Amino acid sequence: MTTQVKHYINGEFVVGNGSQQIAVTNPANNETIALINCATADEVHSAIASAKAAFKSWKEVPVSERARVMLRYQHLLKEHHDELATILSQETGKTFEDAKGDVWRGIEVVEHACNVASLLMGETVENVARSIDTYSYTQPLGVCAGITPFNFPAMIPLWMFPLAIACGNTFILKPSEQDPMTPQRLVELFEQAGAPKGVLQLVHGDKTAVDILLRDPAIKAISFVGSVGVGQYIYKTGTDNLKRVQAFAGAKNHCVIMPDANKQQVINNLVGASVGAAGQRCMALSVAVFVGAAKEWLPELKEALAKVRPGLWNDPQAGYGPVISPAAKQRVLKLIQQGKDEGADCLLDGSDFSLEGHESGNWIGPTLFDKVTTEMSIYKEEIFGPVLCCMEAETLEEAIELVNNSPYGNGTSIFTASGAAARKYQHEIEVGQVGINVPIPVPLPFFSFTGWKGSFYGDQHAYGKQAVRFYTETKTITARWFESDIGTGPNMSIHLK
């Protein structure tokens, strides 16, 4: 049965009038499971106008009432957790356990948004000058928008709109057209939580919708997660149109393995962090740097990877599912072939993997390369597939230099039993998120997601305190109250007396 995906505009779910239609397919067999009528320009402008009108009243809602909406919302998300994970699995191909993790990491951000009152507190200093007090308020910006990717259709939208709305803004969500049913269900539950009409809008579509959001003067801030090229375009276009922009782009995450690390822990973590979710994570470990004698563990790593079997979302034995689309599969296969052609040693080749009964799906088996160099395409490009590239370094200093020379700085990890080595690594590495014996160091929501260098364009990062600053403006008040009508004469200086 094919589902008709709906927009959510001005508090109504509508199919939309767009003549351009996009098919949503099941990555396991490429059968169409849903259809999108791309939002027309008029429909996007209508969503913006509705959000702008709703902002006038929503910003006046007491912060405690906004927090209660989030409390009700997180309760509904937990109540429908498995349902959301099922929808997510069917449109992304993720295994059910992985999909549940996607949903749960989003719920954690909503829980953080429930604490919005304390996050919005300003500052006060009494008697900054004689009988003069200064204090600040944190106030919402207005209409904000989010453009989200296919790989985390629950978590990343939930990074954005709950905090933005809890801060007093209204929000327009434009999710990936490849898996729009999960975001639609998130919006349905948000409506059930009691959010007023117009506070949240949902528009589906392509670049046409994105460009309107980037250029319309009513939009004050744009959040984006996606590829490098699109991230650069979003950042430049948005800032050229005088908007705040946070654009999370590409990654090439390195894991440095010291010879004193626990070998089995290293192997287990490398396998899960490299091919889990079919490698379609911006925080996936795609490069393993073995220092010194640790390179001798490669045969055991190969053996462990070879045991991982891709499969259907509801197969509890499946290690991961298919990649998202035939185009994504062809891109990964092309890079695997380039790795071979450019001289890397392909120890494990998943190019020909096919799942019996689902041969038309976007399947790629675990793939392992050794002897990878920095000049190779498989090193320079973000593969976004179940491919792990292995490199060697003689010393920790050499490994640090290798990682720091990468143009990306999303995440990195070191596995070691040495506190001194870990301290040196975390201090000297030029990457925003560092794991010590932790393969994917995505921080919990009371911290912020802090990619560096070519992995991020903007100033304030996602969720945590930085997101609150991103979605708000600070107003500073300097006040004096006179006890009598007698003045002291004009003050001709800027100095407060």
Side-chain angles (χ1 to χ4, degrees), residues 32-64:
T32 297
I33 56 176
L35 294 171
I36 302 171
N37 288 357
C38 290
T40 65
D42 286 345
E43 286 166 343
V44 179
H45 284 302
S46 177
I48 295 171
S50 174
K52 186 176 179 181
F55 174 66
K56 294 177 183 178
S57 57
W58 180 245
K59 69 176 180 178
E60 302 298 338
V61 172
V63 66
S64 56

mmCIF file of all heavy atoms in Angstrom, residues 32-64:
data_model
loop_
_atom_site.group_PDB
_atom_site.id
_atom_site.type_symbol
_atom_site.label_atom_id
_atom_site.label_comp_id
_atom_site.label_asym_id
_atom_site.label_seq_id
_atom_site.Cartn_x
_atom_site.Cartn_y
_atom_site.Cartn_z
ATOM 1 N N THR A 32 8.076 1.299 -4.234
ATOM 2 C CA THR A 32 7.516 2.565 -3.763
ATOM 3 C C THR A 32 6.578 2.313 -2.588
ATOM 4 O O THR A 32 5.677 1.474 -2.655
ATOM 5 C CB THR A 32 6.752 3.269 -4.895
ATOM 6 O OG1 THR A 32 7.673 3.578 -5.949
ATOM 7 C CG2 THR A 32 6.100 4.555 -4.406
ATOM 8 N N ILE A 33 6.807 3.049 -1.494
ATOM 9 C CA ILE A 33 5.967 2.896 -0.304
ATOM 10 C C ILE A 33 5.192 4.174 0.008
ATOM 11 O O ILE A 33 4.255 4.158 0.806
ATOM 12 C CB ILE A 33 6.795 2.476 0.929
ATOM 13 C CG1 ILE A 33 7.937 3.463 1.192
ATOM 14 C CG2 ILE A 33 7.335 1.064 0.753
ATOM 15 C CD1 ILE A 33 8.728 3.161 2.465
ATOM 16 N N ALA A 34 5.590 5.294 -0.606
ATOM 17 C CA ALA A 34 4.894 6.557 -0.355
ATOM 18 C C ALA A 34 5.156 7.514 -1.507
ATOM 19 O O ALA A 34 6.110 7.342 -2.280
ATOM 20 C CB ALA A 34 5.348 7.175 0.967
ATOM 21 N N LEU A 35 4.310 8.522 -1.589
ATOM 22 C CA LEU A 35 4.449 9.551 -2.616
ATOM 23 C C LEU A 35 4.371 10.931 -1.964
ATOM 24 O O LEU A 35 3.598 11.155 -1.028
ATOM 25 C CB LEU A 35 3.336 9.426 -3.666
ATOM 26 C CG LEU A 35 3.352 8.171 -4.543
ATOM 27 C CD1 LEU A 35 2.077 8.092 -5.368
ATOM 28 C CD2 LEU A 35 4.581 8.158 -5.455
ATOM 29 N N ILE A 36 5.189 11.845 -2.483
ATOM 30 C CA ILE A 36 5.188 13.230 -2.019
ATOM 31 C C ILE A 36 4.780 14.131 -3.179
ATOM 32 O O ILE A 36 5.343 14.033 -4.274
ATOM 33 C CB ILE A 36 6.586 13.683 -1.556
ATOM 34 C CG1 ILE A 36 7.128 12.805 -0.430
ATOM 35 C CG2 ILE A 36 6.577 15.140 -1.135
ATOM 36 C CD1 ILE A 36 8.588 13.080 -0.109
ATOM 37 N N ASN A 37 3.838 15.006 -2.934
ATOM 38 C CA ASN A 37 3.605 16.123 -3.841
ATOM 39 C C ASN A 37 4.464 17.280 -3.340
ATOM 40 O O ASN A 37 4.189 17.832 -2.265
ATOM 41 C CB ASN A 37 2.134 16.546 -3.847
ATOM 42 C CG ASN A 37 1.237 15.544 -4.543
ATOM 43 O OD1 ASN A 37 1.705 14.541 -5.076
ATOM 44 N ND2 ASN A 37 -0.049 15.802 -4.539
ATOM 45 N N CYS A 38 5.508 17.612 -4.077
ATOM 46 C CA CYS A 38 6.422 18.671 -3.621
ATOM 47 C C CYS A 38 5.662 19.964 -3.375
ATOM 48 O O CYS A 38 4.786 20.352 -4.166
ATOM 49 C CB CYS A 38 7.510 18.905 -4.658
ATOM 50 S SG CYS A 38 8.690 17.567 -4.804
ATOM 51 N N ALA A 39 5.994 20.628 -2.288
ATOM 52 C CA ALA A 39 5.328 21.885 -1.960
ATOM 53 C C ALA A 39 5.562 22.912 -3.060
ATOM 54 O O ALA A 39 6.675 23.059 -3.571
ATOM 55 C CB ALA A 39 5.846 22.414 -0.628
ATOM 56 N N THR A 40 4.516 23.624 -3.427
ATOM 57 C CA THR A 40 4.653 24.725 -4.384
ATOM 58 C C THR A 40 5.243 25.932 -3.663
ATOM 59 O O THR A 40 5.267 25.996 -2.418
ATOM 60 C CB THR A 40 3.294 25.106 -4.965
ATOM 61 O OG1 THR A 40 2.469 25.618 -3.896
ATOM 62 C CG2 THR A 40 2.613 23.907 -5.612
ATOM 63 N N ALA A 41 5.671 26.913 -4.442
ATOM 64 C CA ALA A 41 6.185 28.147 -3.846
ATOM 65 C C ALA A 41 5.116 28.807 -2.987
ATOM 66 O O ALA A 41 5.404 29.308 -1.887
ATOM 67 C CB ALA A 41 6.665 29.090 -4.949
ATOM 68 N N ASP A 42 3.880 28.801 -3.449
ATOM 69 C CA ASP A 42 2.794 29.406 -2.675
ATOM 70 C C ASP A 42 2.593 28.686 -1.347
ATOM 71 O O ASP A 42 2.316 29.322 -0.317
ATOM 72 C CB ASP A 42 1.490 29.381 -3.478
ATOM 73 C CG ASP A 42 1.477 30.413 -4.606
ATOM 74 O OD1 ASP A 42 2.334 31.321 -4.588
ATOM 75 O OD2 ASP A 42 0.613 30.302 -5.492
ATOM 76 N N GLU A 43 2.721 27.362 -1.366
ATOM 77 C CA GLU A 43 2.535 26.600 -0.135
ATOM 78 C C GLU A 43 3.654 26.874 0.863
ATOM 79 O O GLU A 43 3.406 26.985 2.075
ATOM 80 C CB GLU A 43 2.450 25.112 -0.457
ATOM 81 C CG GLU A 43 1.114 24.735 -1.104
ATOM 82 C CD GLU A 43 1.098 23.367 -1.747
ATOM 83 O OE1 GLU A 43 2.195 22.800 -1.998
ATOM 84 O OE2 GLU A 43 0.003 22.852 -2.013
ATOM 85 N N VAL A 44 4.885 27.001 0.386
ATOM 86 C CA VAL A 44 5.995 27.329 1.287
ATOM 87 C C VAL A 44 5.801 28.723 1.865
ATOM 88 O O VAL A 44 5.973 28.948 3.078
ATOM 89 C CB VAL A 44 7.352 27.220 0.562
ATOM 90 C CG1 VAL A 44 8.488 27.591 1.518
ATOM 91 C CG2 VAL A 44 7.570 25.812 0.024
ATOM 92 N N HIS A 45 5.423 29.678 1.011
ATOM 93 C CA HIS A 45 5.185 31.042 1.503
ATOM 94 C C HIS A 45 4.019 31.074 2.489
ATOM 95 O O HIS A 45 4.031 31.847 3.457
ATOM 96 C CB HIS A 45 4.920 31.987 0.328
ATOM 97 C CG HIS A 45 6.159 32.355 -0.438
ATOM 98 N ND1 HIS A 45 7.253 32.964 0.160
ATOM 99 C CD2 HIS A 45 6.479 32.187 -1.743
ATOM 100 C CE1 HIS A 45 8.199 33.163 -0.754
ATOM 101 N NE2 HIS A 45 7.760 32.701 -1.911
ATOM 102 N N SER A 46 3.012 30.226 2.264
ATOM 103 C CA SER A 46 1.891 30.148 3.200
ATOM 104 C C SER A 46 2.346 29.626 4.559
ATOM 105 O O SER A 46 1.907 30.129 5.606
ATOM 106 C CB SER A 46 0.800 29.243 2.617
ATOM 107 O OG SER A 46 -0.266 29.093 3.520
ATOM 108 N N ALA A 47 3.237 28.631 4.549
ATOM 109 C CA ALA A 47 3.781 28.105 5.809
ATOM 110 C C ALA A 47 4.572 29.184 6.545
ATOM 111 O O ALA A 47 4.466 29.319 7.771
ATOM 112 C CB ALA A 47 4.660 26.897 5.525
ATOM 113 N N ILE A 48 5.353 29.950 5.801
ATOM 114 C CA ILE A 48 6.141 31.029 6.418
ATOM 115 C C ILE A 48 5.222 32.083 7.019
ATOM 116 O O ILE A 48 5.425 32.542 8.153
ATOM 117 C CB ILE A 48 7.089 31.658 5.383
ATOM 118 C CG1 ILE A 48 8.137 30.630 4.933
ATOM 119 C CG2 ILE A 48 7.773 32.899 5.959
ATOM 120 C CD1 ILE A 48 8.986 31.086 3.759
ATOM 121 N N ALA A 49 4.182 32.471 6.271
ATOM 122 C CA ALA A 49 3.247 33.481 6.769
ATOM 123 C C ALA A 49 2.524 32.998 8.020
ATOM 124 O O ALA A 49 2.324 33.763 8.981
ATOM 125 C CB ALA A 49 2.241 33.834 5.676
ATOM 126 N N SER A 50 2.138 31.724 8.029
ATOM 127 C CA SER A 50 1.471 31.161 9.198
ATOM 128 C C SER A 50 2.391 31.152 10.410
ATOM 129 O O SER A 50 1.979 31.491 11.524
ATOM 130 C CB SER A 50 0.993 29.744 8.875
ATOM 131 O OG SER A 50 0.466 29.109 10.024
ATOM 132 N N ALA A 51 3.643 30.758 10.203
ATOM 133 C CA ALA A 51 4.608 30.742 11.305
ATOM 134 C C ALA A 51 4.880 32.143 11.823
ATOM 135 O O ALA A 51 5.028 32.359 13.038
ATOM 136 C CB ALA A 51 5.909 30.090 10.840
ATOM 137 N N LYS A 52 4.935 33.099 10.908
ATOM 138 C CA LYS A 52 5.180 34.491 11.302
ATOM 139 C C LYS A 52 4.022 35.025 12.144
ATOM 140 O O LYS A 52 4.227 35.712 13.152
ATOM 141 C CB LYS A 52 5.378 35.342 10.054
ATOM 142 C CG LYS A 52 5.788 36.789 10.337
ATOM 143 C CD LYS A 52 6.054 37.538 9.040
ATOM 144 C CE LYS A 52 6.442 38.986 9.328
ATOM 145 N NZ LYS A 52 6.687 39.725 8.049
ATOM 146 N N ALA A 53 2.793 34.700 11.733
ATOM 147 C CA ALA A 53 1.628 35.151 12.491
ATOM 148 C C ALA A 53 1.574 34.479 13.861
ATOM 149 O O ALA A 53 1.252 35.118 14.875
ATOM 150 C CB ALA A 53 0.352 34.860 11.705
ATOM 151 N N ALA A 54 1.901 33.174 13.896
ATOM 152 C CA ALA A 54 1.842 32.442 15.162
ATOM 153 C C ALA A 54 2.891 32.932 16.151
ATOM 154 O O ALA A 54 2.684 32.865 17.373
ATOM 155 C CB ALA A 54 2.021 30.950 14.904
ATOM 156 N N PHE A 55 3.999 33.431 15.653
ATOM 157 C CA PHE A 55 5.077 33.902 16.535
ATOM 158 C C PHE A 55 4.599 35.033 17.447
ATOM 159 O O PHE A 55 5.029 35.120 18.607
ATOM 160 C CB PHE A 55 6.274 34.355 15.706
ATOM 161 C CG PHE A 55 7.379 34.980 16.515
ATOM 162 C CD1 PHE A 55 8.105 34.233 17.419
ATOM 163 C CD2 PHE A 55 7.684 36.329 16.384
ATOM 164 C CE1 PHE A 55 9.119 34.797 18.185
ATOM 165 C CE2 PHE A 55 8.697 36.907 17.132
ATOM 166 C CZ PHE A 55 9.413 36.143 18.043
ATOM 167 N N LYS A 56 3.722 35.875 16.950
ATOM 168 C CA LYS A 56 3.279 37.033 17.726
ATOM 169 C C LYS A 56 2.646 36.615 19.046
ATOM 170 O O LYS A 56 2.825 37.291 20.073
ATOM 171 C CB LYS A 56 2.290 37.857 16.901
ATOM 172 C CG LYS A 56 2.898 38.502 15.672
ATOM 173 C CD LYS A 56 1.850 39.246 14.859
ATOM 174 C CE LYS A 56 2.441 39.833 13.582
ATOM 175 N NZ LYS A 56 1.412 40.531 12.757
ATOM 176 N N SER A 57 1.907 35.522 19.024
ATOM 177 C CA SER A 57 1.279 35.061 20.267
ATOM 178 C C SER A 57 2.138 34.043 21.010
ATOM 179 O O SER A 57 2.179 34.030 22.249
ATOM 180 C CB SER A 57 -0.098 34.456 19.968
ATOM 181 O OG SER A 57 0.018 33.399 19.027
ATOM 182 N N TRP A 58 2.852 33.178 20.273
ATOM 183 C CA TRP A 58 3.647 32.134 20.927
ATOM 184 C C TRP A 58 4.763 32.721 21.779
ATOM 185 O O TRP A 58 5.052 32.211 22.870
ATOM 186 C CB TRP A 58 4.211 31.185 19.882
ATOM 187 C CG TRP A 58 5.049 30.063 20.455
ATOM 188 C CD1 TRP A 58 6.377 29.859 20.275
ATOM 189 C CD2 TRP A 58 4.596 29.004 21.306
ATOM 190 N NE1 TRP A 58 6.787 28.738 20.954
ATOM 191 C CE2 TRP A 58 5.706 28.184 21.596
ATOM 192 C CE3 TRP A 58 3.351 28.660 21.850
ATOM 193 C CZ2 TRP A 58 5.611 27.056 22.399
ATOM 194 C CZ3 TRP A 58 3.261 27.532 22.653
ATOM 195 C CH2 TRP A 58 4.380 26.745 22.923
ATOM 196 N N LYS A 59 5.383 33.805 21.329
ATOM 197 C CA LYS A 59 6.486 34.385 22.104
ATOM 198 C C LYS A 59 6.002 34.936 23.441
ATOM 199 O O LYS A 59 6.805 35.124 24.366
ATOM 200 C CB LYS A 59 7.180 35.486 21.297
ATOM 201 C CG LYS A 59 6.344 36.737 21.086
ATOM 202 C CD LYS A 59 7.131 37.810 20.354
ATOM 203 C CE LYS A 59 6.292 39.066 20.151
ATOM 204 N NZ LYS A 59 7.069 40.138 19.472
ATOM 205 N N GLU A 60 4.687 35.202 23.552
ATOM 206 C CA GLU A 60 4.136 35.730 24.796
ATOM 207 C C GLU A 60 3.678 34.631 25.753
ATOM 208 O O GLU A 60 3.308 34.906 26.886
ATOM 209 C CB GLU A 60 2.949 36.655 24.479
ATOM 210 C CG GLU A 60 3.281 37.827 23.571
ATOM 211 C CD GLU A 60 4.320 38.771 24.168
ATOM 212 O OE1 GLU A 60 4.490 38.782 25.403
ATOM 213 O OE2 GLU A 60 4.978 39.498 23.390
ATOM 214 N N VAL A 61 3.687 33.394 25.289
ATOM 215 C CA VAL A 61 3.296 32.272 26.153
ATOM 216 C C VAL A 61 4.353 32.103 27.243
ATOM 217 O O VAL A 61 5.555 32.060 26.934
ATOM 218 C CB VAL A 61 3.151 30.980 25.328
ATOM 219 C CG1 VAL A 61 2.938 29.779 26.237
ATOM 220 C CG2 VAL A 61 1.987 31.117 24.345
ATOM 221 N N PRO A 62 3.964 32.030 28.497
ATOM 222 C CA PRO A 62 4.957 31.871 29.574
ATOM 223 C C PRO A 62 5.865 30.672 29.331
ATOM 224 O O PRO A 62 5.432 29.631 28.827
ATOM 225 C CB PRO A 62 4.089 31.682 30.821
ATOM 226 C CG PRO A 62 2.818 32.388 30.495
ATOM 227 C CD PRO A 62 2.591 32.159 29.024
ATOM 228 N N VAL A 63 7.104 30.826 29.704
ATOM 229 C CA VAL A 63 8.094 29.784 29.446
ATOM 230 C C VAL A 63 7.712 28.473 30.118
ATOM 231 O O VAL A 63 7.987 27.387 29.587
ATOM 232 C CB VAL A 63 9.502 30.259 29.871
ATOM 233 C CG1 VAL A 63 9.599 30.466 31.378
ATOM 234 C CG2 VAL A 63 10.572 29.286 29.405
ATOM 235 N N SER A 64 7.056 28.542 31.252
ATOM 236 C CA SER A 64 6.641 27.311 31.934
ATOM 237 C C SER A 64 5.594 26.564 31.118
ATOM 238 O O SER A 64 5.577 25.321 31.095
ATOM 239 C CB SER A 64 6.093 27.636 33.323
ATOM 240 O OG SER A 64 5.033 28.576 33.231
#
